[in-house]
């Protein structure tokens, strides 16, 4: 008799699963998967940082291969402006980092009130200097078509200018470029790398994640700086907000390579937070948006409170269910008792409940004024069930909510609706926790696991995560439909959920990608907090038929979205595709 390894136990089952994983990941992927147990997060850890030792190994084994082997021939000139204020002890390392550039067509402009050295390519001198008033001085003397703004603690990677030129050649419509960076610690070791997202507008509202050193076209920089009535203290943050207003999202580029190194980490100051909030307030005033800028959950983060129309849009909260009265009752009661937003209806879709108590409870709910109970008598199809409910929804806004959700924050719906009402925003996702107060969902990252995975999974509630991304509003390619809010017009525009090819798994990822492809930005917020007890009604994919269906859905997703799944713009190509905790990919070869 032929042994069925898939159904077997013990050693044979382990061997079968290992072979299947090897076929999917290859040898390098297997080595990374075997090492993933070392990435488990201690329960008391609040901030995710890549360990210096792991980063050192990555630099040795992989960084050189990350850089292009092509050095562009001398083309356009880049002007590098170093503003030297308080810290001049690093000046020679800064100058040397420019002298060692593999791309040669550059000029260096030093702005200082006390420096005289013939080795400097160019310098300006003035009294009462401040970082805020160096920009116009540097720009007025810059001969380059592009300019790099850097402060007194920045050194450049030898490949920095070459990589920027290559980027400009590939994306000639670019107006601004930022890169990844790191810090040089007290032991002169490179540490704390910041592998950033592609341009992430809502993350920029939440935190100045781009950093103080970046490049811009000289012409647009002069235009922006000359238009300022007065130069703000947080000049770089204000500059990028103004540049975004003028050129749009598509002309701000990101190079996912470490091209800047900061020689000392600046301390967070209350004045800096105040200045950044003032820059945001002025930004919204220029755009005619009545948004409030509040203090965020971590230092130097901001929470933008977006306006909701005076005539509150009706929200249709769609909840599929089958039996499990205790789960459904907890969900409904938490919505009714804790939700501050008043304009909502609840649409419960009963998919063949058999339990007498559950049937009785559904009958009681149907008598409530703002509750509808719909019958769906076909076999379980998550996509079809939700599509059916949306047809019967009266609301301008749809909230897809699993029956195993429990509300935590009373203003969860206010927060999500405020974003969903923004014309540029598509799907809005929430912060979801397991019952043990660890994170279940903080946005979806494409390419993790088979198709996609949840960011910061298993970190403790209250964690700030990697680069503060677990505590800031930001854009993601997708969010989970366990709690997803979207305007009904957008839901209908993209054809709802795929009830043919994605009956159970990844229909939410597919839906979000359709919304993103239609030109909307998907968004996740940590200010809408709920518990998610995960798939209580449907159960797990642990039968042969369910496994076959799941595999077919994985294959479909890769066939439809393969290139996007391989390169999520809101993640970094340097980071792992095996775990959810923003750790370095441990393979020696590229993914």
């Amino acid at each position: 008799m032929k042994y069925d390894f898939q159904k077997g136990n013990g050693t044979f089952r382990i061997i079968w699963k290992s072979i299947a994983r090897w076929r999917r990941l290859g040898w390098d992927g297997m080595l990374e998967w075997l090492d993933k147990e070392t990435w488990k997060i201690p329960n008391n850890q609040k901030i995710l940082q890549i360990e210096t030792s792991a980063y050192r190994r990555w630099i040795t084994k992989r960084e050189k291969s990350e850089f292009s082997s092509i050095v562009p021939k001398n083309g356009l000139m880049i002007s590098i402006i170093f503003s030297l204020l308080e810290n001049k002890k690093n000046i020679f390392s800064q100058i040397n980092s420019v002298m060692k550039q593999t791309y040669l067509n550059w000029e260096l402009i030093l702005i200082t009130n006390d420096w005289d050295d013939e080795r400097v390519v160019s310098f300006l001198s003035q009294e009462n200097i401040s970082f805020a008033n160096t920009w116009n001085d540097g720009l007025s003397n810059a001969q380059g078509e592009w300019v790099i703004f850097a402060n007194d603690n920045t050194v450049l990677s030898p490949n920095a200018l070459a990589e920027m030129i290559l980027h400009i050649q590939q994306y000639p419509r670019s107006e601004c470029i930022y890169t990844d960076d790191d810090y040089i610690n007290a032991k002169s070791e490179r540490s704390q790398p910041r592998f950033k997202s592609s341009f992430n507008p809502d993350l920029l509202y939440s935190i100045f994640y781009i950093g103080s050193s970046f490049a811009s076209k000289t012409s647009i920089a002069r235009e922006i700086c000359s238009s300022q009535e007065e130069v703000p203290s947080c000049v770089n943050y204000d500059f990028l907000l103004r540049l975004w207003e003028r050129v749009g999202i598509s002309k701000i580029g990101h190079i996912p390579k470490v091209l800047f190194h900061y020689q000392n980490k600046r301390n967070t100051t209350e004045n800096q937070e105040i200045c950044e909030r003032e820059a945001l307030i002025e930004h919204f005033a220029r755009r005619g948006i009545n948004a409030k800028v509040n203090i965020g959950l971590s230092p130097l983060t901001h929470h933008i409170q977006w306006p909701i129309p005076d005539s509150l849009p009706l929200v249709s909260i769609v909840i599929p269910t089958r039996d499990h009265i205790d789960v459904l009752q907890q969900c409904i009661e938490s919505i009714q008792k804790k939700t501050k937003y008043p304009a909502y209806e609840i649409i419960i879709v009963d998919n063949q409940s058999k339990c007498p108590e559950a049937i009785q409870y559904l009958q009681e709910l149907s008598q409530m004024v703002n509750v509808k109970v719909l019958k769906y008598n076909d076999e379980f199809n998550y996509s079809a069930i939700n599509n059916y409910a949306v047809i019967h929804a009266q609301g301008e806004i749809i909230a897809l909510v699993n029956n195993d959700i429990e509300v935590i924050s009373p203003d969860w719906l206010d927060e999500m609706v405020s974003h969903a009402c923004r014309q540029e925003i598509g799907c809005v996702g929430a912060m979801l926790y397991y019952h043990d107060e660890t994170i279940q969902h903080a946005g979806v990252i494409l390419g993790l696991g088979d198709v996609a995975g949840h960011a910061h999974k298993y970190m403790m509630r209250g964690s700030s995560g990697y680069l503060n991304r677990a505590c800031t509003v930001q854009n993601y390619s997708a969010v989970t439909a366990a709690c997803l809010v979207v305007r009904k017009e957008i839901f209908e525009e993209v054809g709802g959920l795929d009830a043919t090819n994605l009956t159970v798994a990844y229909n939410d990822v597919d839906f979000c990608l359709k919304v993103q492809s239609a030109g909307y930005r998907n968004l996740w917020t940590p200010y809408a907090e709920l518990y998610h007890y995960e798939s209580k009604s449907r159960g797990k994919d642990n039968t042969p038929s369910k496994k076959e269906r799941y595999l077919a859905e994985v294959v479909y997703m890769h066939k439809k979205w393969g290139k996007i799944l391989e390169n999520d713009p809101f993640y970094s190509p340097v980071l792992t595709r095996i775990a959810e905790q923003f750790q370095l990919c441990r393979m020696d070869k590229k993914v």
Side-chain angles (χ1 to χ4, degrees):
M1 182 179 70
K2 186 177 179 180
Y3 189 84
D4 190 337
F5 290 96
Q6 184 171 349
K7 294 181 180 179
N9 295 316
T11 303
F12 289 111
R13 180 169 176 78
I14 293 172
I15 293 172
W16 182 88
K17 292 185 72 174
S18 298
I19 292 173
R21 187 169 287 112
W22 168 74
R23 286 175 175 172
R24 180 164 57 87
L25 300 177
W27 285 116
D28 289 332
M30 274 297 285
L31 291 173
E32 185 181 7
W33 179 83
L34 290 169
D35 199 27
K36 75 175 182 178
E37 292 298 314
T38 63
W39 300 349
K40 287 190 174 179
I41 302 169
N43 286 340
N44 61 350
Q45 186 168 334
K46 297 291 184 180
I47 300 173
L48 267 180
Q49 289 184 350
I50 295 172
E51 293 181 357
T52 300
S53 57
Y55 185 41
R56 187 166 56 245
R57 290 195 300 271
W58 179 85
I59 291 171
T60 301
K61 294 181 179 180
R62 297 238 352 232
E63 185 180 50
K64 187 175 181 179
S65 66
E66 296 288 327
F67 292 121
S68 173
S69 59
I70 300 172
V71 177
K73 294 181 179 179
N74 287 348
L76 59 83
M77 177 185 283
I78 297 182
S79 300
I80 304 158
I81 301 176
F82 278 134
S83 174
L84 304 178
L85 305 180
E86 303 170 357
N87 181 16
K88 297 185 179 69
K89 67 180 181 180
N90 299 317
I91 180 58
F92 289 114
S93 59
Q94 291 182 274
I95 293 174
N96 286 335
S97 75
V98 178
M99 298 293 185
K100 293 178 180 179
Q101 290 299 302
T102 55
Y103 181 77
L104 302 178
N105 195 13
W106 52 262
E107 69 170 357
L108 175 60
I109 300 174
L110 297 185
I111 303 180
T112 178
N113 56 359
D114 181 22
W115 189 261
D116 186 10
D117 193 299
E118 294 179 355
R119 287 169 292 185
V120 177
V121 176
S122 175
F123 72 93
L124 305 173
S125 180
Q126 62 173 259
E127 299 297 327
N128 302 318
I129 194 170
S130 69
F131 183 58
N133 61 27
T134 61
W135 284 51
N136 283 326
D137 293 321
L139 284 170
S140 64
N141 287 270
Q143 301 298 310
E145 297 170 74
W146 277 73
V147 59
I148 293 177
F149 298 104
N151 57 24
D152 56 14
N153 71 337
T154 308
V155 296
L156 279 63
S157 159
N159 303 287
L161 301 187
E163 293 289 347
M164 288 183 181
I165 294 295
L166 289 171
H167 182 91
I168 293 166
Q169 291 174 347
Q170 185 175 1
Y171 305 100
R173 296 179 70 248
S174 296
E175 301 278 2
C176 180
I177 301 170
Y178 67 98
T179 79
D180 295 343
D181 52 48
D182 61 16
Y183 293 93
I184 299 174
N185 63 22
K187 297 179 181 179
S188 298
E189 297 174 315
R190 287 172 55 188
S191 63
Q192 298 181 45
R194 302 196 305 164
F195 296 112
K196 305 169 189 175
S197 162
S198 293
F199 187 55
N200 196 322
D202 286 279
L203 183 59
L204 184 60
Y205 281 149
S206 301
I207 186 171
F208 187 31
Y209 78 95
I210 287 176
S212 59
S213 298
F214 51 85
S216 169
K217 267 189 176 178
T218 306
S219 57
I220 191 69
R222 285 175 175 154
E223 181 184 332
I224 290 171
C225 289
S226 65
S227 68
Q228 295 174 317
E229 294 181 3
E230 59 182 49
V231 183
S233 297
C234 53
V235 59
N236 42 20
Y237 190 39
D238 181 82
F239 175 88
L240 283 165
L241 291 172
R242 290 174 183 269
L243 184 141
W244 171 20
E245 294 167 24
R246 289 172 181 264
V247 307
I249 294 173
S250 63
K251 295 184 180 180
I252 302 177
H254 168 237
I255 300 176
K257 300 174 183 180
V258 180
L259 302 184
F260 292 110
H261 314 291
Y262 297 117
Q263 297 180 96
N264 57 288
K265 197 166 185 178
R266 296 184 180 278
N267 295 324
T268 298
T269 65
E270 183 179 353
N271 183 58
Q272 185 178 350
E273 289 190 16
I274 294 171
C275 289
E276 288 185 3
R277 287 199 292 273
E278 289 175 351
L280 284 167
I281 291 169
E282 292 174 5
H283 166 77
F284 291 122
R286 290 191 299 269
R287 294 187 60 194
I289 299 173
N290 185 27
K292 295 181 180 178
V293 182
N294 300 320
I295 297 173
L297 298 173
S298 288
L300 284 180
T301 67
H302 318 289
H303 178 207
I304 311 303
Q305 187 176 339
W306 294 84
I308 299 176
D310 293 334
S311 179
L312 297 179
L314 179 67
V315 180
S316 297
I317 302 175
V318 175
I319 306 174
T321 192
R322 176 188 291 174
D323 295 323
H324 292 279
I325 180 176
D326 54 334
V327 174
L328 178 63
Q329 188 170 4
Q330 178 176 254
C331 176
I332 298 297
E333 289 182 356
S334 72
I335 292 173
Q336 292 176 330
K337 292 179 179 179
K338 297 180 180 178
T339 301
K340 188 170 69 174
Y341 188 88
Y344 68 85
E345 65 172 355
I346 298 176
I347 301 177
I348 302 169
V349 188
D350 177 26
N351 183 211
Q352 302 177 337
S353 289
K354 306 296 183 185
C355 172
E357 291 83 1
I359 294 172
Q360 176 62 34
Y361 180 59
L362 289 169
Q363 289 175 345
E364 294 173 4
L365 289 174
S366 66
Q367 303 304 310
M368 296 182 180
V369 175
N370 67 336
V371 178
K372 296 178 185 176
V373 178
L374 305 177
K375 297 290 185 181
Y376 187 86
N377 292 320
D378 290 334
E379 64 181 16
F380 180 81
N381 181 325
Y382 181 85
S383 297
I385 289 171
N386 282 283
N387 291 344
Y388 176 69
V390 171
I391 293 172
H392 294 81
Q394 300 297 312
E396 301 170 50
I397 294 177
I398 303 298
L400 304 182
V401 175
N402 282 12
N403 67 340
D404 51 359
I405 286 287
E406 180 184 357
V407 174
I408 298 174
S409 53
D411 55 355
W412 71 281
L413 199 51
D414 299 78
E415 171 72 11
M416 299 183 79
V417 168
S418 71
H419 290 293
C421 287
R422 298 166 57 191
Q423 288 303 304
E424 70 273 20
I425 298 300
C427 302
V428 180
M431 170 69 91
L432 304 180
Y433 303 109
Y434 289 111
H435 69 282
D436 63 355
E437 304 292 333
T438 59
I439 293 174
Q440 190 265 338
H441 169 265
V444 169
I445 297 172
L446 305 180
L448 292 191
D450 294 328
V451 172
H454 291 179
H456 294 108
K457 200 170 185 178
Y458 306 126
M459 287 200 75
M460 288 299 298
R461 180 178 177 180
S463 301
S464 58
Y466 183 64
L467 306 183
N468 285 296
R469 291 192 65 177
C471 66
T472 47
V473 176
Q474 64 203 270
N475 302 116
Y476 274 105
S477 293
V479 293
T480 180
C483 183
L484 183 155
V485 172
V486 65
R487 297 197 302 279
K488 186 177 181 181
E489 62 180 4
I490 297 177
F491 189 95
E492 294 173 338
E493 177 185 344
V494 302
L497 303 179
D498 187 340
T500 302
N501 302 292
L502 300 168
T503 61
V504 179
Y506 301 120
N507 39 54
D508 49 1
V509 176
D510 176 74
F511 175 73
C512 288
L513 291 178
K514 290 192 295 183
V515 170
Q516 182 171 267
S517 297
Y520 302 97
R521 298 202 308 266
N522 297 322
L523 177 146
W524 171 82
T525 173
Y527 298 96
E529 296 180 293
L530 306 96
Y531 289 114
H532 182 208
Y533 302 110
E534 205 165 20
S535 302
K536 286 284 184 71
S537 294
R538 186 179 62 83
K540 297 181 178 180
D541 293 330
N542 53 7
T543 66
S545 61
K546 287 183 177 181
K547 289 179 179 179
E548 183 178 356
R549 183 268 310 153
Y550 173 79
L551 180 59
E553 289 169 335
V554 169
V555 171
Y556 175 80
M557 286 294 291
H558 279 276
K559 184 177 180 180
K560 182 176 181 180
W561 301 107
K563 291 184 178 179
I564 296 177
L565 298 182
E566 293 169 7
N567 188 24
D568 189 335
F570 301 112
Y571 195 53
S572 169
V574 172
L575 300 176
T576 182
R577 297 300 192 274
I578 301 297
E580 300 92 345
Q581 287 81 41
F582 293 82
Q583 295 296 297
L584 279 170
C585 179
R586 303 223 175 169
M587 294 182 288
D588 290 345
K589 298 179 181 179
K590 286 189 177 183
V591 178

